[in-house]
Amino acid sequence: MPRGDKSKYTGKQKRMAEHIEEGYEERGIPEEEAERRAWATVNATTGGGKKGGSGVGKRPNRAPAHKGGRLGGAASAARPKAARSASARKAARTRARRKTAGR
């Protein structure tokens, strides 16, 4: 079987990859890179091709699909230290106020 052959993937896995790829393309990722990332996500989620063997399947690992939100932080890092400190102080005051109001 040549590299990149998708015959061992189920229809559901192929649909999943297509949907993920469309999402990447909407965000401006080039088509080839979007396809590569989509299949990497499907492989990480489902553990590769599922067709062929019999037996009990494994549950999908959803963690790779939720990775995006943890990759940020650049916007916060670009702000000056004084602004970050002011935000942190304000958040602490809000938490304290809400904690005492909840009693």
Side-chain angles (χ1 to χ4, degrees):
M1 185 179 345
R3 256 178 95 101
D5 181 35
K6 305 293 186 230
S7 64
K8 291 292 183 184
Y9 289 87
T10 63
K12 183 176 182 178
Q13 287 175 308
K14 290 174 184 174
R15 290 192 306 275
M16 187 187 217
E18 184 64 33
H19 182 72
I20 294 167
E21 182 180 348
E22 286 170 9
Y24 279 127
E25 287 173 359
E26 283 174 13
R27 287 185 260 168
I29 306 293
E31 193 173 329
E32 278 187 17
E33 176 67 9
E35 183 181 8
R36 187 191 67 75
R37 288 186 190 185
W39 281 107
T41 305
V42 169
N43 286 334
T45 304
T46 61
K50 293 282 190 185
K51 249 190 210 172
S54 62
V56 180
K58 286 182 152 183
R59 293 180 64 96
N61 169 22
R62 301 281 185 211
H66 298 286
K67 221 171 134 178
R70 293 182 288 136
L71 300 178
S76 177
R79 293 171 62 207
K81 185 175 185 329
R84 292 196 312 270
S85 295
S87 277
R89 283 193 301 274
K90 183 178 179 185
R93 284 195 309 270
T94 302
R95 282 193 297 272
R97 188 175 67 245
R98 288 182 180 166
K99 187 176 178 182
T100 58
R103 286 185 177 174

